[in-house]
């Protein structure tokens, strides 16, 4: 028995913290004589949640040295799990920084909101350490279920409820594929733990009796991944859910889900099934090319900023998948670096959307941004920074992310795939920069709503902006931080 | 014993066919319950008491009741008119069913040795499963607690009536 609890300290801090937040919330309600002033004391909950996330980040650094298999081979702590934890925690902190005032515009239950956010992040981090089909599935369900609930927290808004229901139904569908695939893999290999699968996988990959079932199982697993990562053609749910959910939840979902799922994808496809990985590059390339192209082309036609960011999120998943296709150490490192950069630039852009949207509607049309460059120079400046980074303009974070992905693809000898990535980046630059043009070169309409940014939101915005610059200026430092040595 | 198992198996199969061919959704649900119950008896015959109990409580109890609730809430259509041609769900179930048949076929013909690394298959008694849960599968077991916590919070916020929502009539 190997019960190395210290190695899963970050997850324990997050889960424990979520329970503490719930209990403090209950006490707060009693103090407030139930019902009135739902807002009072929610700042305390926010501070507490931020402390929990920061504590988990400290714990992640503290246990960075702990590596290897634990808990009877059901978990593995290594450089990959550290990278996943880091990106998920950075995402959580940025999304928490949106502040209690924004949260109060869509829900009367801030305690539940914060604790679900923390629990969802726990599930995402657990995806990084999972080394067992069971832990993987439970972690997947934990973060998906929390996201479904978070997406539906705007109870008075029809599209939020619709987003929640849609995500629930398609999530259940995806889980079905995932479980069926897992069952077949278990049937062929006789074990659920990734480390024990090696010999049986080798036999099956060499054309043993279970080969057909194994491939069917892996294909079903890949379909499950496709749904969660919103890869084309499994992406139908993404724009509606991204548009309907409260914007802070959309921001969290867009980065967190991708990070957790790509972590698990690397763990399974590159570290566990390396036998015959060449067989999988074909389908993965097709998925990556479709995802990038459909995501970008559809994003071109959107007028809603949230929907546009939703489709562009699909395209970004395509870039990361394309970067992973060579299946090498460089590929994994480039994908992790890209996700790290994406966390800051994407959530940064969403924070601006939240500042500009008015409380009742949870969406911003492109026309609402007209003339913001002159009226709100700071906000527009940051938005431009995030959009430049998303479109991959040097020297910002997004540029280095794309650069590493090009290099990984070229090292893998897939020059034409790199060309597809370049063309897609050019397409995406058009719709990102079009927003900058709208902000700076179009007249502002008469009736204006002042942006509703709270101090916490400004801190989040500046933090994201500084990180986008820092990652761009010192890429080597962050590459070292996220380095996964060997597979 | 084997005659009894054969009889129960036949009943189970008949119930499964009934689920598919029944015209009314309520009948399908009841056939499904019969199928789950006979399956539980088969588990008992195979000496897997825990699995049998779980089958009755979770499937025959929980899931069928849930399905009946859904049928009640949506309002049952007297008969299903939607089987003209192969819809996408039908195609998907055909593919998935083919995979299932293939895996069963490979096992029954002995081409695929199913080895299990735990004591789940050997015995299936509550104590064997409990030991497994607290040793080999400790971490998944602990993570399930977090999943259940999320489900609990979710049930509370989804079920709580917001101020401003109309009061539902009592009873």
């Amino acid at each position: 028995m190997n019960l190395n609890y210290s190695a899963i300290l970050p997850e324990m801090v997050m889960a424990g913290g979520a329970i503490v937040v719930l209990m403090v919330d209950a006490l707060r309600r009693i103090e407030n004589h139930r019902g009135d002033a739902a807002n009072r004391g929610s700042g305390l909950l926010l501070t507490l949640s931020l402390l929990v996330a920061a504590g988990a980040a400290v714990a992640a650094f503290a246990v960075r040295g702990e590596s290897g298999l634990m808990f009877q081979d059901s978990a593995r702590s290594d450089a990959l799990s550290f990278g996943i934890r880091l990106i998920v925690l950075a995402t959580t902190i940025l999304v928490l920084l949106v502040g209690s005032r924004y949260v109060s515009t869509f829900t009367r239950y801030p305690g539940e909101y914060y604790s679900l956010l923390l629990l969802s992040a726990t599930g995402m981090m657990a995806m990084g350490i999972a080394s067992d089909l069971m832990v993987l599935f439970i972690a997947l369900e934990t973060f998906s279920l929390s996201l479904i609930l978070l997406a539906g927290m705007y109870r008075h808004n029809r599209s939020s409820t619709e987003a929640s229901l849609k995500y629930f139904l398609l999530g259940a569908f995806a889980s079905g594929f995932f479980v069926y695939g897992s069952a077949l893999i278990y049937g062929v290999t006789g074990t659920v733990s990734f480390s024990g699968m090696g010999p049986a996988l080798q036999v099956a990959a060499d054309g043993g009796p279970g080969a057909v079932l194994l491939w069917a199982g892996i294909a079903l697993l890949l379909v499950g991944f496709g749904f969660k990562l919103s890869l084309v053609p499994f992406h139908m749910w993404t724009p509606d859910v991204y548009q309907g959910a409260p914007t802070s939840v959309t921001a969290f979902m867009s980065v967190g889900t991708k990070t957790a799922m790509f972590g698990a994808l690397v763990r399974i496809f590159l570290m566990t099934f390396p036998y015959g990985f060449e067989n999988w590059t074909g389908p993965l390339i097709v998925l990556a090319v479709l995802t990038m192209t459909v995501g970008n082309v559809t994003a071109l036609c959107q007028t809603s900023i949230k929907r546009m960011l939703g489709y562009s999120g699909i395209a970004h998943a395509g870039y990361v998948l394309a970067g992973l296709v060579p299946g090498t150490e460089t590929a994994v490192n480039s994908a992790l670096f890209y996700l790290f950069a994406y966390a800051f630039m994407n959530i940064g852009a969403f924070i601006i959307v939240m500042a500009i949207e008015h409380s009742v509607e949870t969406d911003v049309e492109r026309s609402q941004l007209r003339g913001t460059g002159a009226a709100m120079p700071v906000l527009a400046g940051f938005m431009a920074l995030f959009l430049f980074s998303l479109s991959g303009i040097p020297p910002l974070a997004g540029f280095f992310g794309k650069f590493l992905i090009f290099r990984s693809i070229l090292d893998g000898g897939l020059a034409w795939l790199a060309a597809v990535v370049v063309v897609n980046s050019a397409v995406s630059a058009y719709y990102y920069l079009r927003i900058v043009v709208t902000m700076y070169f179009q007249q502002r309409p008469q009736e204006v709503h002042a942006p509703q940014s709270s101090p916490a939101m400004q801190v989040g915005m500046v933090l994201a902006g500084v990180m986008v610059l820092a990652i761009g200026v010192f890429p080597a430092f962050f590459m070292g931080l996220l380095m996964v040595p060997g597979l | 014993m084997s005659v009894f198992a054969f009889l129960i198996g036949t009943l189970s199969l008949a119930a499964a066919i009934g689920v598919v061919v029944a015209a009314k959704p309520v009948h399908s649900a009841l056939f499904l319950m019969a199928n789950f119950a006979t399956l539980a008896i088969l588990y008992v015959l195979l000496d897997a008491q825990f699995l049998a109990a779980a089958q009755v409580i979770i499937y025959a109890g929980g899931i069928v009741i849930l399905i009946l609730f859904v049928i009640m809430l949506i309002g049952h259509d007297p008969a299903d008119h939607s089987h003209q041609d192969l819809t996408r769900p039908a195609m998907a179930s055909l593919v998935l069913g083919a995979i299932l048949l293939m895996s069963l076929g490979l096992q029954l013909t002995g081409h695929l040795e199913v080895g299990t690394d735990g004591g789940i298959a050997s015995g299936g008694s509550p104590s064997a499963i409990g030991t497994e849960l607290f040793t080999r599968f400790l971490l998944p077991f602990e993570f399930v607690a977090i999943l259940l916590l999320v489900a609990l919070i979710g049930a509370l916020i989804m079920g709580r009536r917001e101020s401003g929502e109309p009061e539902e009539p009592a009873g």
Side-chain angles (χ1 to χ4, degrees):
Chain A
M1 293 264 283
N2 172 8
L3 304 182
N4 188 357
Y5 276 105
S6 65
I8 58 163
L9 192 62
E11 285 78 15
M12 285 162 60
V13 170
M14 290 291 265
I19 295 169
V20 171
V21 168
L22 269 183
M23 292 176 67
V24 171
D25 183 48
L27 292 176
R28 185 187 68 99
R29 267 167 214 281
I30 295 169
E31 283 290 304
N32 284 355
H33 307 299
R34 55 178 306 176
D36 81 306
N39 235 334
R40 200 192 302 159
S42 64
L44 173 67
L45 297 174
L46 172 65
T47 317
L48 209 58
S49 314
L50 273 172
L51 281 177
V52 169
V58 171
F61 275 100
V63 302
R64 201 181 168 187
E66 307 260 0
S67 61
L69 283 166
M70 316 160 297
F71 292 97
Q72 291 73 253
D73 298 352
S74 49
R76 181 188 283 278
S77 172
D78 57 5
L80 178 69
S81 70
F82 172 75
I84 303 293
R85 279 170 177 165
L86 204 61
I87 301 172
V88 169
L89 287 171
T91 309
T92 313
I93 290 173
L94 280 180
V95 170
L96 283 172
L97 277 176
V98 164
S100 51
R101 199 195 298 167
Y102 182 80
V103 173
S104 69
T105 61
F106 65 83
T107 181
R108 294 179 59 245
Y109 306 113
E112 282 81 350
Y113 171 82
Y114 291 125
S115 56
L116 281 176
L117 206 62
L118 293 177
L119 288 171
S120 183
T122 314
M124 290 168 182
M125 285 155 66
M127 291 289 283
I129 59 169
S131 176
D132 174 320
L133 285 170
M134 280 207 213
V135 178
L136 192 71
F137 181 64
I138 294 167
L140 174 75
E141 285 304 294
T142 306
F143 87 74
S144 304
L145 194 59
S146 318
L147 286 178
I148 290 162
L149 293 166
L150 286 169
M153 281 201 87
Y154 197 165
R155 291 268 303 265
H156 293 297
N157 185 307
R158 283 185 85 97
S159 55
S160 169
T161 310
E162 185 196 332
S164 179
L165 188 64
K166 221 169 227 177
Y167 195 39
F168 174 66
L169 290 176
L170 281 163
F173 202 52
S175 298
F177 278 104
F178 199 90
V179 170
Y180 201 171
S182 307
L184 288 178
I185 292 168
Y186 173 65
V188 175
T189 59
T191 173
V192 285
S193 104
F194 296 160
S195 58
M197 281 179 190
L201 284 177
Q202 184 67 72
V203 170
D206 290 343
V212 191
L213 285 184
L214 182 68
W215 297 139
I218 297 176
L220 288 171
L221 213 58
L222 196 60
V223 172
F225 272 101
F227 270 108
K228 291 284 171 193
L229 279 170
S230 61
L231 302 177
V232 178
F234 312 110
H235 68 291
M236 305 77 67
W237 57 273
T238 318
D240 291 341
V241 173
Y242 278 24
Q243 193 179 15
T247 312
S248 57
V249 177
T250 309
F252 183 66
M253 193 191 289
S254 66
V255 180
T257 312
K258 281 195 191 73
T259 308
M261 292 313 284
F262 272 116
L265 195 73
V266 167
R267 180 80 73 205
I268 295 183
F269 281 85
L270 300 186
M271 295 181 172
T272 307
F273 303 154
Y275 317 100
F277 178 73
E278 321 77 73
N279 299 331
W280 290 100
T281 47
L284 288 181
I285 289 175
V286 172
L287 279 178
V289 170
L290 272 179
T291 306
M292 280 188 283
T293 315
V294 173
N296 275 321
V297 170
T298 332
L300 273 179
C301 323
Q302 305 304 318
T303 56
S304 148
I305 302 283
K306 267 174 88 177
R307 220 174 158 80
M308 187 278 282
L309 283 172
Y311 276 112
S312 86
I314 297 177
H316 284 283
Y319 300 146
V320 178
L321 189 64
L324 274 178
V325 161
T328 55
E329 191 186 322
T330 334
V332 175
N333 284 317
S334 72
L336 263 186
F337 184 86
Y338 195 90
L339 287 167
F340 188 65
Y342 181 67
F344 293 101
M345 54 199 190
N346 201 42
I347 295 180
F350 271 118
I351 289 179
I352 313 273
V353 171
M354 280 181 258
I356 290 176
E357 77 186 16
H358 344 115
S359 53
V360 186
E361 286 302 317
T362 58
D363 203 356
V364 174
E365 290 287 318
R366 198 170 69 237
S367 56
Q368 276 171 261
L369 290 170
R370 275 185 300 204
T372 40
M376 327 165 187
V378 179
L379 218 59
F382 272 104
M383 187 64 169
L385 177 76
F386 297 131
L387 291 172
F388 283 142
S389 180
L390 280 168
S391 53
I393 288 171
L396 300 171
F399 166 73
F400 278 100
K402 286 225 174 86
F403 173 74
L404 290 177
I405 280 180
F406 292 147
R407 204 183 58 182
S408 142
I409 299 173
L410 285 177
D411 283 355
L414 295 158
W416 67 272
L417 185 60
V420 174
V421 175
V422 173
V423 171
N424 267 294
S425 300
V427 174
S428 75
Y430 174 73
Y431 61 76
Y432 287 129
L433 299 185
R434 191 168 57 179
I435 298 178
V436 178
V437 171
T438 312
M439 288 195 302
Y440 283 97
F441 300 107
Q442 288 190 9
Q443 277 302 315
R444 188 164 178 71
Q446 280 307 307
E447 76 281 17
V448 286
H449 295 269
Q452 303 186 322
S453 59
S454 59
M457 212 181 243
Q458 284 158 9
V459 172
M461 185 175 77
V462 172
L463 189 68
V466 167
M467 282 304 289
V468 165
L469 278 172
I471 297 171
V473 177
F474 308 108
F477 171 74
F478 292 100
M479 276 160 71
L481 190 66
L482 295 165
M483 178 74 115
V484 177
L487 285 179
Chain B
M1 186 63 147
S2 63
V3 178
F4 186 58
F6 184 74
L7 201 69
I8 297 294
T10 318
L11 272 179
S12 182
L13 192 65
I17 293 170
V19 174
V20 184
V21 298
K24 287 187 182 176
V26 183
H27 291 173
S28 281
L30 291 177
F31 273 123
L32 192 63
M33 187 145 80
N35 177 251
F36 286 153
T38 44
L39 218 53
I41 300 175
L42 284 181
Y43 287 145
V44 174
L45 293 180
L46 290 171
D47 227 10
Q49 294 92 347
F50 180 82
L51 209 53
Q55 172 81 12
V56 170
I57 295 169
I58 297 169
Y59 286 93
I63 291 187
V64 172
I65 298 297
L66 199 68
I67 290 174
L68 286 175
F69 263 127
V70 170
I71 293 172
M72 260 160 46
L73 285 177
I74 293 178
H76 55 96
D77 191 15
D80 183 16
H81 306 292
S82 65
H83 40 72
Q84 307 96 332
D85 52 356
L86 278 183
T87 50
R88 258 202 291 183
M91 293 284 277
S93 10
L94 271 182
V95 172
L96 297 181
I99 296 174
L100 181 66
L101 269 185
M102 193 167 63
S103 59
L104 286 176
L106 276 175
Q107 272 170 36
L108 290 177
T109 52
H111 282 293
L112 191 62
E113 286 291 320
V114 180
T116 48
D117 61 347
I120 301 284
S122 63
S125 64
S127 70
I129 288 176
T131 313
E132 283 292 310
L133 279 184
F134 281 97
T135 53
R136 164 74 184 84
F137 296 106
L138 182 67
L139 192 67
F141 184 65
E142 283 172 349
F143 270 125
V144 165
I146 300 177
L147 179 60
L148 287 177
L149 178 64
V150 172
L152 200 65
I153 300 172
L156 279 174
I157 40 176
M158 286 289 144
R160 201 152 44 182
R161 189 178 299 125
E162 295 257 323
S163 63
E165 273 181 55
E167 290 274 323
E168 281 164 44

